[in-house]
């Protein structure tokens, strides 16, 4: 009887995995359909349709496991028993990226333009006053959309420090005007290539010819895999616990003597932006933990890194 139970369980798991593989096999067709719909309709209508059709049990086991980790992490920090389904958050991000980058959805692009205009009201006066600017978006809603918003502000040029897969995703997109405003510095490039690109970007940023975009809320487990330098992490407290944040934003702002503008997108029947007060370079290390914590609380349903196993509390 016990052996039969095991066999039934394994058969059930294999059936679910088979359905997940089938789902992945039709993803390309689904993306083409989504692009067609997003090109010709308001993206919010298609999001509503896809939300009703969303079924997490048809998704790959790895994504379902990440969703369980995300729910446990959020409950641990915020005590929320009914968080948004993390698998849908990932699906929504993908659809928003398709809408902006591939389908050039008019409604979404107009919302991003509006967000850029709001951000520009903070950024341009700093440049006019002779202050270099470092843009620091949070991982909310979509890191691609956050980058597009940052690329649209004065002086109309930006270098974003990204991972290699994000860089390739945008590079393969159909030609669009926003691509003229963005350059990429991938952390997965050769170290000498990274240094050259970043040095040139810093020179231009200091001369007010561009902004640099760097996400400040990257988690230490990712940092440990890509950078063994102890100086890459900043000890702090988050949610009244000992924690570690990536220190790149602190070091880069000091090197540029830049004002750091933190912002985060959020979704409420459309894409909106929250912008924090600019922070001088010498104060970034003190205020960074509070800004990250408030963003995670304020935009808990939009934050994309809940699935990170250790969050900011990795025990080395």
């Amino acid at each position: 009887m016990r052996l039969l139970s095991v066999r039934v369980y394994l058969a059930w798991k294999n059936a679910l995995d088979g359905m997940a593989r089938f789902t992945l096999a039709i993803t390309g067709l689904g993306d083409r359909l989504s692009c067609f719909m997003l090109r010709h309709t308001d993206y919010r209508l298609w999001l509503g349709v896809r939300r009703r059709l969303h079924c997490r049990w048809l998704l790959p086991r790895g994504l379902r496991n990440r969703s369980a980790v995300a729910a446990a992490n959020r409950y641990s920090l915020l005590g929320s028993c009914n968080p948004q389904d993390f698998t849908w958050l990932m699906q929504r991000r993908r659809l928003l990226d398709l809408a902006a980058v591939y389908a050039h959805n008019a409604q979404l692009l107009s919302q991003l333009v509006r967000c850029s205009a709001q951000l520009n009201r903070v950024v341009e006066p700093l440049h006019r006053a002779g202050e270099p600017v470092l843009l620091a978006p949070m991982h909310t809603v979509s890191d691609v959309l956050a980058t597009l918003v940052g690329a649209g502000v004065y002086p109309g040029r930006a270098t974003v420090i990204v991972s290699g897969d994000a860089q390739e995703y945008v590079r393969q997109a159909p030609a669009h005007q926003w691509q003229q405003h963005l350059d990429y510095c991938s952390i997965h490039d050769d170290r000498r290539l990274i240094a050259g690109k970043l040095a040139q970007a810093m020179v231009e940023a200091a001369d007010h010819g561009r902004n640099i975009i760097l996400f400040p809320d990257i988690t230490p487990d990712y940092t440990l895999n890509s950078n063994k330098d102890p100086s890459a992490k900043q000890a702090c407290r988050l949610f009244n616990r000992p924690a570690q944040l990536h220190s790149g934003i602190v070091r880069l702002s000091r090197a540029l003597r830049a004002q750091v503008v933190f912002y985060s997108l959020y979704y409420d029947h459309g894409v909106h932006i929250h912008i924090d007060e600019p922070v001088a370079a010498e104060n970034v290390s003190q205020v960074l933990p509070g800004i990250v914590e408030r963003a995670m609380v304020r935009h808990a349903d939009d934050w994309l890194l809940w699935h990170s196993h250790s969050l900011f509390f990795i025990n080395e």
Side-chain angles (χ1 to χ4, degrees), residues 36-54:
F36 177 83
M37 297 300 297
L38 291 168
R39 193 172 290 116
H40 298 288
T41 64
D42 188 320
Y43 77 96
R44 289 166 290 195
L45 296 177
W46 188 238
L47 282 185
V49 171
R50 292 297 297 268
R51 183 68 181 99
R52 287 175 174 82
L53 296 176
H54 182 73

Side-chain angles (χ1 to χ4, degrees), residues 42-115:
D42 188 320
Y43 77 96
R44 289 166 290 195
L45 296 177
W46 188 238
L47 282 185
V49 171
R50 292 297 297 268
R51 183 68 181 99
R52 287 175 174 82
L53 296 176
H54 182 73
C55 181
R56 60 177 296 172
W57 299 112
L58 295 179
L59 297 173
R61 185 188 303 175
L63 183 54
R64 286 183 274 124
N65 289 342
R66 288 194 292 273
S67 180
V69 172
N73 280 338
R74 177 167 166 169
Y75 179 79
S76 175
L77 294 185
L78 305 183
S80 176
C81 296
N82 296 302
Q84 185 182 51
D85 181 0
F86 188 77
T87 61
W88 167 245
L89 181 62
M90 294 293 99
Q91 182 66 23
R92 188 186 70 182
R93 178 182 69 169
R94 180 175 178 80
L95 292 171
L96 288 172
D97 291 349
L98 287 173
V101 176
Y102 286 85
H104 302 157
N105 182 271
Q107 291 79 17
L108 179 56
L109 292 181
S110 68
Q111 292 174 4
L112 298 184
V113 169
R114 184 195 65 225
C115 291

Side-chain angles (χ1 to χ4, degrees), residues 220 233-246 285-290 292-293 312-313:
K233 297 179 289 295
Q234 171 186 325
C236 62
R237 292 189 72 83
L238 285 173
F239 297 94
N240 202 32
R241 307 179 187 193
Q244 291 180 333
L245 288 167
H246 194 279
S285 61
Q286 288 79 27
V287 305
L288 177 60
V292 171
E293 181 175 327
F312 303 101
F313 311 103

Side-chain angles (χ1 to χ4, degrees), residues 101-294:
V101 176
Y102 286 85
H104 302 157
N105 182 271
Q107 291 79 17
L108 179 56
L109 292 181
S110 68
Q111 292 174 4
L112 298 184
V113 169
R114 184 195 65 225
C115 291
S116 291
Q118 293 176 248
L119 184 60
N120 192 62
R121 288 198 288 269
V122 177
V123 172
E124 186 169 358
L126 293 175
H127 278 292
R128 300 293 187 190
E131 300 278 0
V133 174
L134 184 57
L135 298 177
M138 301 292 169
H139 282 93
T140 54
V141 180
S142 161
D143 45 359
V144 171
L145 298 192
T147 299
L148 298 186
V149 169
V153 304
Y154 182 90
R157 295 288 298 177
T159 292
V160 56
I161 301 174
V162 296
S163 62
D165 53 348
Q167 182 180 8
E168 289 305 313
Y169 178 83
V170 177
R171 277 183 173 174
Q172 294 170 8
H176 196 265
Q177 182 180 1
W178 56 259
Q179 290 169 318
Q180 304 171 13
H181 303 289
L182 267 177
D183 295 302
Y184 307 92
C185 182
S186 173
I187 62 174
H188 295 126
D189 284 340
D190 179 83
R191 285 182 177 271
R192 289 171 294 182
L193 184 59
I194 297 173
K197 286 184 178 180
L198 191 54
Q200 180 61 34
M202 290 175 66
V203 169
E204 295 183 25
D207 290 336
H208 309 286
R210 72 172 58 238
N211 299 307
I212 296 178
I213 303 173
L214 177 60
F215 290 82
D217 56 345
I218 191 170
T219 55
D221 53 356
Y222 182 86
T223 303
L224 287 174
N225 292 330
S226 60
N227 192 338
K228 301 296 183 180
D229 184 0
S231 66
K233 297 179 289 295
Q234 171 186 325
C236 62
R237 292 189 72 83
L238 285 173
F239 297 94
N240 202 32
R241 307 179 187 193
Q244 291 180 333
L245 288 167
H246 194 279
S247 64
I249 197 84
V250 175
R251 292 178 290 164
L252 193 55
S253 63
R254 287 175 179 171
L256 279 170
R257 297 184 180 179
Q259 293 280 332
V260 181
V261 179
F262 296 90
Y263 65 94
S264 48
L265 301 184
Y266 63 97
Y267 190 87
D268 184 10
H269 304 291
V271 177
H272 305 272
I273 189 171
H274 175 93
I275 307 169
D276 290 282
E277 289 292 326
V279 180
E282 60 270 18
N283 298 326
V284 172
S285 61
Q286 288 79 27
V287 305
L288 177 60
I291 289 176
V292 171
E293 181 175 327
R294 286 191 295 274

